[in-house]
Amino acid sequence: MHYLDQLNEIQRQAVMHMEGPALVVAGPGSGKTRVLTYRIAHLIDRGIPPYQIMALTFTNKAAREMKERIQSVTGPQAYNVWAGTFHSIFARILRYEAEHIGYLSSFTIYDTDDSKSLIKNILNDLHLSKDQYNPNSVRARISSAKTNLISPKRYEQDQELMAQDRAARRPHFAKIYQEYVARCKRSGAMDFDDLLYRLYELLQNHPDIADKYRKRFPFLLIDEFQDTNFLQYQIAKKLTHYPGSSRNILVVGDDAQSIYAFRGATIQNILDFQNDFKPYGVKTYKLVKNYRSTEHIVQAANQVITHNKRQIPKTIESVRGSGNKIHLIKAMTDNEEGKRVVDAILEQKNRLHLRNRDIAILYRTNAQSRIFEENLRQHNIPYRVFGGLSFYQRKEIKDLIAYFRLAINPQDDEALRRIINYPKRGIGKTTLEKISAQAALSQQTLWQTIPQMSFPSRTQNALDGFTALIKDFRQMAEEQDAYQTALHIARRSGILNELKKDTSIEGLSRMENINSLLDGIKEFTAQKTDDSEQSDLSLAAYIQNIALLTDLDQNLPEGDDFVTLMSIHAAKGLEFPSVFVVGLEEQLFPSFMAMESPEGLEEERRLFYVAITRAKNFLTLSYALSRYRYGQMRYNDPSRFLTEINPQHIEGEKTIAANLQAMNAPSRSGVKGNFKRAAGKLKKPVKVPKDFHPSPSAAIQSGMEVFHLQFGKGKVLAIDGSRDKRVATIFFHELKDQKRIMLKFAKLQILK
C-alpha cells in the first residue's frame, strides 16, 4: 500500500504540503507522528535531498522512531535526515562551529547537578550564604535569563531585574550569573540552556554561518511545537527568515497539550505562529480524528478544554465508537482511595482480562504514589514507578563518567572536583581549596593551575600521579573506541577495585550498575549505521550521546507485566488501554500553586486533558474528601475539572452523579454543591487597616509577619519556587491554620 493511501484527507493534505509555512494542529491520538514522518518521506520522494531536511523533536526516542518510519518508506537514505532533539542537533552544529564562539569542539555538556555544583563553588568563593542564594533558585533564574536572551551584561543593565534582586535580598545575583558564565567558558563547558543560547549567539553574530545553515536546511520541521520556549522559536525564525526564502517551516503540535511552562515552554508560540507567518501564506491543518480513545473519553476531553480561553478552537472526534462510560470513584480518605482504585484494578483484571501492563495510575505529584504502592503490594500486583532517580544520576555512574569527561576535556572543573580524590589518593579538601583559590585568582581552570603550584612531597606525588593518569586516559581516548577506553579507565582509575571491596547488597548493586554502563558502551560501539553522526565510535561521541538524554525520554520496557505508576507530566506521549487519574481535588489537581493565576489554571486544565486522553478503552477518575498533606489532615472539595464533564459520560454511585450535576455551573470561583467545605474559614470578617497597601512580592521572605485581606495576620514559614513562581507557606493566626499562597497574586503587606 502506498504511504499516502494510509492517510485520511486532512493528513494527506498536510503531508503533501511542499512549500511555505504550515501549522498542523494535531489532537491527541490523531496520527501526528505519521503526518510528520510521511511528510519527510514525501519530500524525499519528490526529490528533496534528505540532508537538506532538519526535523526537531523533544525526545531521542521520537527522533529514532521518526527515522525508522521514514526508512520503511524511503530506504536507508532516511538516515541522512538531520532528525533529533533541539539540544542534540544544536550541539552537533556547535561542535562544527565551536571556534567561532570561543570553544573547542570537545566542549563538555553540564547536567543539572554539574550546574548546581558550580553555583555552590561560586557562592563559596564570593562568601555568599546558600540560604539567601538557594542554588536551585539561582540555577532556575540563570536558566530563565538565558531562555529570554538576557546576557549577564544586559541583566546588570536592566533596572527592573536589579530592583527585583534587591527587594528579594539577593543583590549579588548579577555577579553570580556573570561568574557562572565565565567559569563555564573557561572550563570548555555548556549547560543545556547554552546549547540554545550559544547557537542563537552564533547565528546572530555570524551572518555567514547563519546563511550557510539556512541554505543547508531549506526544510525545517518541528514536533511538539506547543512545548517550545521563547529561545527555541527565535532560533527557528533565524533559520527560516531570510531574503528569497520560501520559509518552508512546518510545525506540529497541540495547544491543548501545552503543559511544560515550568520548563520555560510557552503556549504563546503555537498561538502566535499563524500571525507571525501570515505574510508568507501560512496554511493550517487541523487533525481532529482520534484513533486512540473511545467516544465517552474524547467527548469528556472536549468538554473540559472548552473552558480555556487561550486556545486554537477544534473539536476532536472519535472513530472508535462510544465504548465504556468514565468510572468515578469517591473516597472519604486518601487511604480509602488507594484501596478502591486497586479493587477496581483487580476487577478489570478478573472481569475484563486486562493485563497489568494495560493499566496505568497517573497522579499530579510523585508523592501520591505511596498509597497505591502499598495497596498493590498487599494484593501481590506487580507495579513499577517511573520518575525516580535516573540511571545516569547514580553516584557510581556519575563518578566513572566524570573520569570519561576529563579524558576528553581536562579543563572540565566540575568533573575534576568530583574525582580528584576518588578513589582516595591523598588529595584532601584543603589542597583542593588552595588550588581553587589560585584558579579563581588567576582566572584559570583547576587543570591549568595544578602544575603551577607546589605542595609537600606526599601531596605533590599524589597530584602528579593524578595528572599522569588523566593524560594516559586522554591519549587512550584519542586512539581507541569508546568501549576500550572506558574499560581501561574503569580499571586504572581504581573505581572497579573500590566497588569490589563492598560486598553488601548495595555494593553489589553499584557494581552491577557499572557493568551495565560498560555493556551499554559496548553496544554503542557495536552499532554501525549509515548515519555519519553514529559512525563516530569514540568516547567523546558516547559522552555527547548520554549527556543529551532527557527525562522526557520515557521508554517503558516491553515484555514485563506490571502496572505503571507515573506523574501526568511523565505520561505525555504514552497510551494505555486503562487509565486511572487519581487525586482529583481542589488544591491538589488543580494544584494550589496554579489556582490564583488564570494562566496557571488553564495549564492545569491542559494537564488534565493530557491525562484523560492517555486512555484508550477505560478511564477511571478518583478523589478523596480528606487526605494528609504536610503532616495534617486536609478536607478537600472535588476538583472543578470533574464538574466540567457532562454527567452523561460518567458512571458511578448515583449520589456522586447527582452531586456532580448540582456542581455544574457556567461560572464558578470554587466548587459549589453539597460537599463539605474545607475546615478553617474565618468566623468574622477581617478588619482591614486604613493604611493597607500590598508590598512587592519579591520583598516577602521567610520569617516575616504579613497581612492578607481575607485571612488577616500571619507569619511566613517558608518560601518555595523562584521569580513569579514563588509560593509562601503562611500560618494565619485567626485561622489557626497554614496556607500556601502564590506570592505573585497574594497582595500581602509586610508588617515586620
Side-chain angles (χ1 to χ4, degrees):
M1 180 186 289
H2 193 269
Y3 64 88
L4 290 177
D5 295 334
Q6 300 174 37
L7 305 169
N8 64 38
E9 182 57 31
I10 299 297
Q11 289 175 332
R12 191 180 299 111
Q13 290 176 22
V15 165
M16 295 178 70
H17 179 97
M18 286 296 293
E19 288 198 355
L23 168 64
V24 179
V25 183
S30 63
K32 77 171 180 65
T33 305
R34 174 172 290 190
V35 166
L36 194 65
T37 54
Y38 281 14
R39 199 250 174 170
I40 296 172
H42 188 68
L43 289 173
I44 296 171
D45 195 39
R46 294 291 298 272
I48 304 299
Y51 56 79
Q52 290 190 348
I53 302 169
M54 181 189 290
L56 300 173
T57 70
F58 276 87
T59 68
N60 296 284
K61 178 185 173 186
R64 284 194 303 271
E65 289 177 352
M66 186 186 299
K67 284 192 174 183
E68 288 166 3
R69 288 200 191 192
I70 301 166
Q71 186 191 21
S72 68
V73 177
T74 67
Q77 60 182 323
Y79 284 105
N80 291 320
V81 175
W82 275 44
T85 65
F86 281 88
H87 292 93
S88 65
I89 294 292
F90 294 172
R92 188 173 174 180
I93 294 173
L94 286 169
R95 290 198 189 278
Y96 289 145
E97 312 294 346
E99 62 181 284
H100 295 287
I101 54 172
Y103 276 86
L104 295 175
S105 61
S106 58
F107 64 79
T108 299
I109 299 174
Y110 278 176
D111 64 13
T112 301
D113 285 346
D114 296 322
S115 295
K116 282 163 56 178
S117 175
L118 175 54
I119 289 166
K120 288 175 183 176
N121 288 320
I122 292 170
L123 294 175
N124 284 333
D125 292 346
L126 296 178
H127 307 292
L128 297 173
S129 165
K130 292 185 181 68
D131 294 329
Q132 189 174 353
Y133 292 89
N134 179 279
N136 284 321
S137 299
V138 170
R139 190 189 68 82
R141 193 163 176 84
I142 290 173
S143 174
S144 178
K146 289 181 181 178
T147 300
N148 288 287
L149 290 173
I150 301 171
S151 66
K153 187 175 181 180
R154 274 193 60 199
Y155 191 100
E156 203 166 19
Q157 293 170 347
D158 190 311
Q159 295 305 312
E160 184 179 348
L161 290 173
M162 296 299 286
Q164 288 176 7
D165 287 342
R166 287 191 295 272
R169 298 178 182 176
R170 51 168 185 253
H172 301 293
F173 174 83
K175 176 63 178 173
I176 298 169
Y177 182 20
Q178 181 183 42
E179 191 66 19
Y180 177 87
V181 171
R183 292 196 189 187
C184 280
K185 190 79 176 284
R186 283 203 299 272
S187 295
M190 296 189 198
D191 62 21
F192 260 46
D193 295 307
D194 282 327
L195 296 176
L196 307 178
Y197 184 85
R198 294 295 186 186
L199 182 70
Y200 183 89
E201 180 182 66
L202 177 72
L203 299 176
Q204 176 75 9
N205 297 337
H206 299 274
D208 55 328
I209 295 175
D211 194 47
K212 167 184 169 181
Y213 285 98
R214 287 165 184 156
K215 290 175 179 175
R216 172 73 189 272
F217 299 108
F219 290 89
L220 176 64
L221 300 92
I222 303 178
D223 190 17
E224 302 287 6
F225 189 66
Q226 77 281 348
D227 293 333
T228 55
N229 62 31
F230 171 78
L231 183 48
Q232 286 163 329
Y233 191 23
Q234 295 308 306
I235 293 171
K237 288 178 179 178
K238 281 278 180 193
L239 290 170
T240 54
H241 281 50
Y242 60 100
S245 165
S246 299
R247 291 174 173 81
N248 295 322
I249 177 173
L250 180 141
V251 301
V252 182
D254 182 6
D255 56 292
Q257 297 186 65
S258 178
I259 60 172
Y260 291 118
F262 67 94
R263 297 181 192 271
T266 171
I267 191 176
Q268 207 58 45
N269 288 348
I270 194 168
L271 297 179
D272 287 346
F273 185 85
Q274 289 168 302
N275 282 333
D276 290 347
F277 285 86
K278 190 175 182 179
Y280 314 109
V282 63
K283 294 287 181 67
T284 300
Y285 305 94
K286 294 183 181 181
L287 308 184
V288 295
K289 289 191 175 180
N290 182 299
Y291 296 91
R292 175 191 300 156
S293 307
T294 53
E295 186 70 22
H296 284 298
I297 296 169
V298 168
Q299 287 304 319
N302 282 334
Q303 289 160 8
V304 167
I305 206 64
T306 55
H307 289 75
N308 274 8
K309 293 180 179 179
R310 300 169 72 216
Q311 62 172 296
I312 300 172
K314 61 184 179 298
T315 302
I316 308 301
E317 306 165 2
S318 173
V319 299
R320 296 195 52 223
S322 60
N324 295 274
K325 286 189 175 185
I326 299 165
H327 187 63
L328 185 63
I329 293 175
K330 167 190 173 184
M332 297 307 295
T333 66
D334 49 355
N335 279 317
E336 184 190 344
E337 181 190 30
K339 180 180 183 305
R340 294 193 61 184
V341 163
V342 173
D343 286 346
I345 289 173
L346 285 168
E347 183 182 1
Q348 289 186 351
K349 283 162 56 71
N350 295 329
R351 186 168 63 86
L352 303 173
H353 307 293
L354 293 186
R355 299 164 299 181
N356 293 318
R357 63 172 167 265
D358 294 331
I359 301 167
I361 300 175
L362 308 182
Y363 32 73
R364 180 63 183 84
T365 65
N366 286 315
Q368 291 171 254
S369 72
R370 179 188 59 81
I371 288 171
F372 302 100
E373 289 185 67
E374 290 174 358
N375 283 277
L376 288 166
R377 280 199 299 268
Q378 286 175 13
H379 291 278
N380 295 316
I381 299 174
Y383 67 90
R384 190 167 296 179
V385 180
F386 291 85
L389 189 66
S390 160
F391 176 80
Y392 294 101
Q393 296 301 313
R394 292 180 168 93
K395 179 186 180 300
E396 60 276 12
I397 300 300
K398 287 184 75 72
D399 289 338
L400 185 51
I401 286 176
Y403 273 104
F404 295 168
R405 282 166 44 181
L406 273 187
I408 298 159
N409 173 20
Q411 310 304 329
D412 184 344
D413 276 358
E414 294 312 306
L416 190 147
R417 286 179 194 278
R418 186 177 187 95
I419 49 81
I420 192 171
N421 197 40
Y422 178 78
K424 289 184 178 179
R425 54 176 59 90
I427 303 173
K429 183 180 178 183
T430 303
T431 301
L432 184 56
E433 286 175 349
K434 288 179 180 177
I435 297 170
S436 298
Q438 181 59 38
L441 190 65
S442 57
Q443 295 194 339
Q444 291 182 314
T445 64
L446 301 177
W447 180 258
Q448 292 169 326
T449 305
I450 289 172
Q452 301 170 6
M453 299 185 69
S454 296
F455 292 92
S457 58
R458 186 176 176 183
T459 301
Q460 191 64 52
N461 289 337
L463 285 168
D464 291 345
F466 174 71
T467 54
L469 194 67
I470 300 305
K471 287 176 182 177
D472 172 60
F473 295 164
R474 191 176 186 189
Q475 183 177 349
M476 188 80 174
E478 290 173 353
E479 298 172 354
Q480 299 291 334
D481 68 20
Y483 179 69
Q484 294 300 325
T485 307
L487 189 60
H488 177 73
I489 292 173
R491 288 171 175 167
R492 280 219 58 203
S493 65
I495 284 182
L496 286 181
N497 286 335
E498 185 74 12
L499 292 176
K500 283 176 183 176
K501 294 176 188 175
D502 186 353
T503 57
S504 66
I505 294 175
E506 293 80 6
L508 293 173
S509 176
R510 284 190 281 271
M511 193 68 189
E512 286 174 4
N513 288 336
I514 291 292
N515 286 328
S516 178
L517 177 68
L518 294 172
D519 289 343
I521 300 173
K522 180 68 174 176
E523 185 180 358
F524 171 81
T525 58
Q527 290 179 346
K528 292 187 178 181
T529 72
D530 294 328
D531 187 336
S532 59
E533 184 76 358
Q534 289 300 319
S535 63
D536 183 354
L537 304 179
S538 67
L539 185 64
Y542 174 76
I543 287 296
Q544 177 178 328
N545 186 52
I546 63 169
L548 293 167
L549 291 174
T550 76
D551 59 354
L552 297 176
D553 275 301
Q554 191 60 254
N555 211 353
L556 299 185
E558 296 180 4
D560 294 338
D561 191 31
F562 53 80
V563 174
T564 297
L565 279 71
M566 60 171 54
S567 72
I568 301 164
H569 282 102
K572 187 169 178 287
L574 303 177
E575 58 183 44
F576 302 88
S578 175
V579 168
F580 290 76
V581 185
V582 299
L584 280 160
E585 300 129 36
E586 293 288 286
Q587 305 288 331
L588 180 57
F589 197 12
S591 162
F592 63 86
M593 293 182 69
M595 288 178 62
E596 293 190 43
S597 155
E599 295 82 10
L601 188 57
E602 289 205 350
E603 174 139 341
E604 289 288 295
R605 187 174 283 110
R606 292 193 294 270
L607 189 59
F608 183 52
Y609 179 88
V610 166
I612 60 183
T613 55
R614 299 310 92 201
K616 297 167 71 174
N617 305 322
F618 306 100
L619 175 62
T620 305
L621 309 176
S622 72
Y623 65 94
L625 293 179
S626 63
R627 73 174 59 238
Y628 272 98
R629 296 194 72 191
Y630 310 109
Q632 295 184 350
M633 178 64 76
R634 304 286 181 178
Y635 297 93
N636 315 307
D637 288 324
S639 170
R640 66 189 68 200
F641 301 150
L642 289 172
T643 74
E644 295 168 359
I645 301 173
N646 192 314
Q648 71 184 44
H649 300 298
I650 295 176
E651 65 177 7
E653 301 168 32
K654 290 182 179 179
T655 53
I656 298 177
N659 276 318
L660 282 177
Q661 187 74 62
M663 287 157 60
N664 255 320
S667 175
R668 54 200 294 278
S669 57
V671 178
K672 298 177 182 178
N674 300 320
F675 290 94
K676 182 179 179 180
R677 300 293 298 176
K681 275 194 171 184
L682 294 174
K683 294 180 172 60
K684 56 184 180 182
V686 171
K687 186 177 180 181
V688 181
K690 291 181 180 179
D691 61 346
F692 177 81
H693 58 276
S695 303
S697 62
I700 295 170
Q701 301 294 328
S702 179
M704 288 182 171
E705 291 284 339
V706 294
F707 185 88
H708 188 278
L709 286 172
Q710 182 180 352
F711 306 129
K713 292 181 180 179
K715 183 172 183 178
V716 181
L717 303 179
I719 302 280
D720 303 313
S722 61
R723 294 197 74 177
D724 58 352
K725 302 291 185 185
R726 296 174 79 230
V727 176
T729 302
I730 304 173
F731 181 84
F732 289 101
H733 305 303
E734 293 189 53
L735 281 176
K736 292 184 173 60
D737 196 4
Q738 63 189 47
K739 289 186 174 292
R740 288 175 61 82
I741 298 177
M742 183 168 277
L743 290 177
K744 181 180 178 182
F745 305 99
K747 293 186 179 178
L748 294 166
Q749 180 179 353
I750 297 172
L751 300 179
K752 61 179 179 178

